[in-house]
C-alpha cells in the first residue's frame, strides 16, 4: 500500500512540475517580439524604410530584413546544395560591435548548412552581389551565448555579405 501511495505521490509531483515548467514556445514568441521591435526601431532611426525589404518564405514574413547593396549578375539557381563563397562582416545590431569577419579568407559554405538568415536572404542577390541582412536572433545564433566570438544570447545581427562565387 505504501508503494502505491509513493508512486501516486511521485506522479502528482511530476505532473505539478510540468504545469510550472519551462515553456520554450512562449519564450520564443516573447523573444521574437523583442527582436522585431529592435529591427523596426533600427530601420526607423536610420531612415531605411524605402530601401529595406523583408524576406518571405513561402509567402510568410520571416522578420529577416535585407538591403541589396549591389545586385550582382547572372541567372543563378539556389538550392540547399548550392555552394557559396563569401566575404562577410557580422555585427551586433544594437551595439555595432563587430564579432566576425572573413578578412582575406573567403569561406565557402553549402547553403543548406548555413544559418537560416543567410539561407533565406542570399538568394536575393546574384554572383558579385552584396547584401546587408538584419536578422532576428531566431534566424541567427538563437538563445545561445557564443563566448568564443563575444556574442550574447538572443543577439539581433547585422550581416554584410558579398557573394563571390556560386557552385551548383
Amino acid at each position: 500500500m505504501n508503494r502505491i501511495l509513493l508512486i501516486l505521490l511521485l506522479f502528482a509531483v511530476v505532473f505539478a512540475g510540468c504545469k510550472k515548467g519551462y515553456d520554450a514556445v512562449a519564450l520564443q514568441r516573447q523573444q521574437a517580439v523583442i527582436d522585431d521591435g529592435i529591427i523596426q526601431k533600427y530601420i526607423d532611426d536610420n531612415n531605411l524604410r524605402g530601401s529595406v525589404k523583408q524576406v518571405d518564405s513561402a509567402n510568410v514574413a520571416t522578420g529577416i530584413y535585407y538591403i541589396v547593396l549591389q545586385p550582382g549578375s547572372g541567372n543563378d539557381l539556389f538550392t540547399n546544395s548550392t555552394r557559396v563563397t563569401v566575404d562577410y562582416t557580422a555585427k551586433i545590431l544594437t551595439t555595432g560591435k563587430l564579432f566576425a569577419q572573413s578578412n582575406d579568407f573567403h569561406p565557402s559554405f553549402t547553403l543548406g548548412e548555413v544559418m537560416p538568415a543567410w539561407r533565406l536572404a542570399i538568394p536575393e542577390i546574384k554572383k558579385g552581389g552584396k547584401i546587408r541582412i538584419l536578422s532576428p536572433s531566431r534566424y541567427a545564433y538563437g538563445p545561445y551565448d557564443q563566448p568564443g566570438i563575444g556574442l550574447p544570447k538572443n543577439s539581433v545581427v547585422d550581416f554584410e555579405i558579398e557573394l563571390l562565387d556560386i557552385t551548383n
Side-chain angles (χ1 to χ4, degrees):
M1 185 66 159
N2 285 340
R3 286 185 185 170
I4 294 173
L5 288 175
L6 182 61
I7 290 172
L8 289 174
L9 180 61
L10 183 61
F11 277 122
V13 169
V14 169
F15 287 124
C18 290
K19 292 179 184 177
K20 298 176 187 174
Y22 178 77
D23 187 354
V25 174
L27 290 175
Q28 289 171 349
R29 285 186 184 136
Q30 289 172 352
Q31 189 61 46
V33 169
I34 292 167
D35 290 356
D36 294 345
I38 290 169
I39 292 173
Q40 291 302 318
K41 181 175 179 356
Y42 184 85
I43 289 169
D44 291 340
D45 290 352
N46 291 281
N47 297 316
L48 299 174
R49 248 329 133 204
S51 57
V52 71
K53 296 179 182 175
Q54 187 170 185
V55 174
D56 289 336
S57 178
N59 295 321
V60 174
T62 61
I64 302 168
Y65 289 84
Y66 69 94
I67 301 167
V68 174
L69 304 173
Q70 182 176 316
S73 60
N75 293 320
D76 303 308
L77 172 67
F78 291 91
T79 67
N80 279 340
S81 61
T82 299
R83 191 152 192 82
V84 295
T85 303
V86 297
D87 186 25
Y88 71 93
T89 60
K91 298 176 185 175
I92 301 171
L93 187 67
T94 53
T95 64
K97 178 187 174 203
L98 180 71
F99 66 88
Q101 63 184 345
S102 57
N103 294 323
D104 293 329
F105 173 70
H106 303 295
S108 291
F109 304 101
T110 301
L111 206 52
E113 296 174 345
V114 297
M115 68 183 64
W118 283 34
R119 187 171 48 251
L120 294 169
I122 286 177
E124 299 296 334
I125 57 173
K126 303 295 180 194
K127 182 177 178 179
K130 290 183 183 179
I131 192 168
R132 184 170 177 204
I133 304 168
L134 307 177
S135 176
S137 61
R138 64 189 176 275
Y139 290 108
Y141 296 92
Y144 307 104
D145 285 318
Q146 303 294 322
I149 57 176
L151 185 68
K153 68 180 181 176
N154 295 317
S155 290
V156 177
V157 184
D158 179 0
F159 297 103
E160 190 167 312
I161 301 169
E162 180 178 5
L163 187 53
L164 302 172
D165 197 17
I166 300 168
T167 308
N168 279 315

